[in-house]
Amino acid sequence: MKNMTGLSIKTEQGQLYILDQTLLPHQQRWLHCTDVDQMVAMIQQLQVRGAPAIGIAASLLLAYRAGQGDSRAELLHSAEVLRASRPTAVNLMNNLDSMLAALQQPDYASAAVACAEQLFAEDVQLCLQMAEHGAALVQPGERLLTHCNTGGLATAGVGTALGVVRLAHQQGKQIQLWVDETRPLLQGGRLTAWECQQLNIPYQLICDNMAAMLMARGEVDRIFVGSDRIAANGDFANKVGTYNLAVLAHYHQIPFYVVAPHTTVDPSCSDGRQIPIEQRPAEEVRGVAGSFGSVCWAPEQAAVFNPAFDVTPAKLVTGWVLDSGVLDQAAVATGALQRLVAG
Ligand code: MRU
């Protein structure tokens, strides 16, 4: 496996390393990944997270195992174990399907390595293309808003929604970014804020329940979010709280865009109701844990509802920013997303 470097995933001298995102922003610790159960645990604990990054990390782990001499039967089994690690991000399933095809080759070990390397390189390229299309929408001086973390930590490249913001900033558009902290796991407060800081993007962190007030005051010009799965009709799943933003944006007539590569489109889901939504442990809502320590502020047995994602209906979306360009309502309503994946 050749050397590849992303913000949260890297390969060096045939070894795979993942930056433990649960420890950010206070600690930067790279974890050496060698087996499937370890990778499953890392995905479930969100040490590696973000739809594209999950798919790439799982594929690289399979490639590593192939290089270690695992049999084809073992690798096929491992792929299924990895596939079940998180249910919503379809990039994981799509990337593993590519790996399964590689494993059918006579020289399956070399094919698996080549495929995982290709998935990494492809994601870098797709991110750049989305960033170009999305940044072209941004007008000078705009105040943008985003949710969760969709940057370099969540992909192999510059990111999806945050990649758009990053490029608009680099183009000198004098943008400012409102960063939703993103309860319960604080991907905005911990990760997006950290990335913005590294990139000198002017940002202000807000609690999720402050977005409405900002919109009412006319202080949000455009919203960019990522996605874990886009259904054929344009409905999409993303970090819980995204739907709130879409409703608010609609009410306040603020353009609302979802930014995702074609590897996030799932034509087998006709609409958002078909998208499986992950339920997560109650402790995440009863309190919080991270490199800063852990605290439980609710009664220890408090009953909890903790969906990791919600679904935003297509009718609330101004545009779908994909690697191939920006689709509008009319294009999506006439099947552009299905055609994109089919073609
Ligand atoms: O639970 P997470 O942190 O993996 O959720 C991530 C998101 O919701 C992102 O917006 C999505 O995966 C797109 S990342 C480019």
Side-chain angles (χ1 to χ4, degrees), residues 46 49-52 54 86 148-150 154-155 160 187 226-228 238-239 309:
L46 310 194
R49 51 146 298 283
I54 294 168
R86 285 192 86 188
C148 197
N149 172 267
T150 60
T155 63
T160 59
Q187 289 94 331
S227 176
D228 281 71
N238 191 47
K239 180 53 54 192
F309 304 96

Side-chain angles (χ1 to χ4, degrees), residues 130-139 164 167-168 171 173 326:
M130 285 179 274
E132 287 288 345
H133 298 307
L137 300 165
V138 176
Q139 303 304 306
V164 168
L167 183 59
Q171 289 172 340
K173 289 194 170 165
V326 184

Side-chain angles (χ1 to χ4, degrees), residues 176-198:
Q176 295 181 52
L177 182 65
W178 298 111
V179 175
D180 261 6
E181 75 172 351
T182 318
R183 269 288 289 155
L185 295 174
L186 309 174
Q187 289 94 331
R190 293 186 304 105
L191 308 177
T192 301
W194 181 75
E195 283 200 46
C196 286
Q197 207 122 312
Q198 313 284 310

Side-chain angles (χ1 to χ4, degrees), residues 87-161:
T88 305
V90 77
N91 307 58
L92 174 64
M93 293 64 177
N94 285 341
N95 287 4
L96 288 172
D97 285 344
S98 302
M99 292 297 290
L100 289 184
L103 290 172
Q104 298 312 318
Q105 304 293 319
D107 186 357
Y108 61 87
S110 311
V113 171
C115 180
E117 289 175 350
Q118 164 66 19
L119 290 169
F120 189 108
E122 180 193 51
D123 191 56
V124 171
Q125 187 55 37
L126 296 177
C127 286
L128 292 173
Q129 291 169 220
M130 285 179 274
E132 287 288 345
H133 298 307
L137 300 165
V138 176
Q139 303 304 306
E142 281 191 342
R143 293 143 311 169
L144 311 175
L145 186 146
T146 195
H147 191 65
C148 197
N149 172 267
T150 60
L153 291 169
T155 63
V158 295
T160 59

Side-chain angles (χ1 to χ4, degrees), residues 87 229 231-233 235 266-277 311:
R229 194 184 294 227
N233 75 338
D235 296 350
D266 182 4
S268 76
C269 288
S270 55
D271 63 45
R273 287 170 302 184
Q274 320 293 320
I275 301 177
I277 300 294
V311 173

